[in-house]
Amino acid sequence: MTRIILFISLALAIVFSTLSAADAQSNYRVRTGDTLEIQVLEDPSLDRSVRVLPDGRFTFPFAGTLRAAGLTIAQIERNIRIAIASNFATEPNVFVFVVPEEREPLEPQTINVYLLGEFNTPGLAEMPPGTTILQALSMGGGMTRFAAVKRLQLRRTDHKTGIQTVRKINYKALAEGAALSNDIVLKDGDVILVPERRLFE
């Protein structure tokens, strides 16, 4: 008796959840390349994900090949239900969902770079992706007259390992015409530190 009640409760939960999901997708027309999640309430062994092939069709046990492209979820559910009905004592309950596509995360609009030390306007600076360190040094209101321009530091922390690397940059040499072999493209979370100039430096 307990198992029957448990099964009924589980079945009702599935029905309600699938119905709400179906309502959200009721007007959607399936396209080639979509992935369909198919559930048969009376026989979970038939539950599976199928891909809609370039010809607009998919295959399903007991049903063979069925058309999906251009149809609504309700139409696909009906077609599967009719196709497999002869294998059940009563008409089965079939639920179909379109699995959302995984998309590449959007590129951030800005990155956060921290300007510390002898900047006229130190602190957090939001910069567009692709900003180089030379471009960043022109931001932050420029450097103060106390800046040790030969000993700038770029501190970068690897977010996976937590290891911080420090790269020293001689801005004075660059300003006098020296070439930077590879202008450094900044990453989110980078810290540019401008130390205070020592006596007689």
Side-chain angles (χ1 to χ4, degrees):
M1 185 65 178
T2 303
R3 289 184 178 179
I4 294 173
I5 294 173
L6 182 61
F7 176 78
I8 292 173
S9 300
L10 179 60
L12 288 173
I14 293 173
V15 168
F16 289 133
S17 63
T18 52
L19 283 176
S20 61
D23 288 341
Q25 302 185 33
S26 59
N27 295 323
Y28 179 75
R29 297 274 175 175
V30 171
R31 299 174 294 182
T32 59
D34 281 348
T35 298
L36 304 178
E37 184 76 29
I38 303 174
Q39 297 177 0
V40 180
L41 185 61
E42 288 75 12
D43 188 355
S45 68
L46 295 177
D47 295 356
R48 65 201 60 221
S49 296
V50 299
R51 175 79 70 172
V52 180
L53 300 175
D55 64 358
R57 299 175 179 272
F58 69 96
T59 58
F60 191 76
F62 303 142
T65 302
L66 298 174
R67 186 165 68 91
L71 301 181
T72 64
I73 296 300
Q75 289 171 324
I76 295 171
E77 289 174 340
R78 177 179 178 278
N79 291 344
I80 296 174
R81 189 165 57 248
I82 292 172
I84 68 174
S86 61
N87 297 280
F88 296 86
T90 58
E91 187 174 72
N93 292 283
V94 177
F95 304 101
V96 177
F97 311 94
V98 178
V99 179
E101 294 182 11
E102 292 186 5
R103 298 181 179 177
E104 293 293 325
L106 296 175
E107 286 292 326
Q109 298 298 312
T110 60
I111 59 173
N112 292 328
V113 176
Y114 300 87
L115 308 178
L116 302 182
E118 296 302 318
F119 280 101
N120 285 313
T121 312
L124 172 64
E126 293 185 345
M127 303 180 185
T131 299
T132 67
I133 190 165
L134 291 182
Q135 292 169 337
L137 289 172
S138 67
M139 304 177 187
M143 292 175 279
T144 72
R145 61 191 181 92
F146 301 106
V149 293
K150 294 182 180 179
R151 298 186 289 111
L152 274 59
Q153 296 179 13
L154 172 63
R155 294 176 174 265
R156 176 172 293 168
T157 301
D158 187 314
H159 298 297
K160 293 182 180 179
T161 63
I163 297 174
Q164 185 180 83
T165 57
V166 179
R167 183 166 179 174
K168 294 182 179 180
I169 298 168
N170 186 338
Y171 180 73
K172 182 178 181 182
L174 295 173
E176 292 175 351
L180 186 61
S181 59
N182 185 19
D183 199 359
I184 305 164
V185 176
L186 297 174
K187 294 184 178 180
D188 188 59
D190 278 354
V191 176
I192 301 174
L193 174 63
V194 179
E196 183 178 3
R197 191 174 66 237
R198 302 190 189 103
L199 190 63
F200 305 117
E201 184 176 6

